């Protein structure tokens, strides 16, 4: 249920908001990878979750771009 709600929230956002969300997710992924490399990360499953969220955001950006054409 959490994933469906996240996707619905993303669909309501504008292109600029989606781009900002993508930047934030990529920064978070970088930080998680850095913490993992230095053995400071407790929840390694968070990396997989953030990667999937990035893919979801990119998919919505692509869908909106194709719909605008």
């Amino acid at each position: 249920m959490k994933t469906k709600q996240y996707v619905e929230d993303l669909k309501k956002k504008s292109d600029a908001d989606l781009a900002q969300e993508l930047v934030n997710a990529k920064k978070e992924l970088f930080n998680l990878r850095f913490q993992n490399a230095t053995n400071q990360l407790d929840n390694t499953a968070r990396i997989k979750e953030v990667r999937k969220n990035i893919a979801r955001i990119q998919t919505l950006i692509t869908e909106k771009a194709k719909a605008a054409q």
Side-chain angles (χ1 to χ4, degrees), residues 4-66:
K4 289 183 182 180
Q5 182 63 37
Y6 180 71
V7 172
E8 290 300 320
D9 291 343
L10 287 177
K11 287 182 179 179
K12 295 176 185 174
K13 293 187 178 190
S14 67
D15 291 340
D17 291 338
L18 284 175
Q20 184 60 40
E21 189 80 22
L22 182 62
V23 168
N24 292 340
K26 285 186 177 185
K27 285 181 183 178
E28 182 180 1
L29 181 60
F30 173 79
N31 289 332
L32 289 171
R33 285 180 174 163
F34 194 86
Q35 288 175 0
N36 193 32
T38 58
N39 293 324
Q40 296 176 348
L41 185 60
D42 295 328
N43 184 9
T44 56
R46 182 74 180 134
I47 293 174
K48 185 176 180 180
E49 184 180 338
V50 172
R51 287 182 64 219
K52 287 186 176 188
N53 286 342
I54 290 172
R56 288 183 183 106
I57 295 167
Q58 289 175 331
T59 300
L60 286 174
I61 290 172
T62 303
E63 285 177 359
K64 286 188 177 200
K66 286 186 177 184

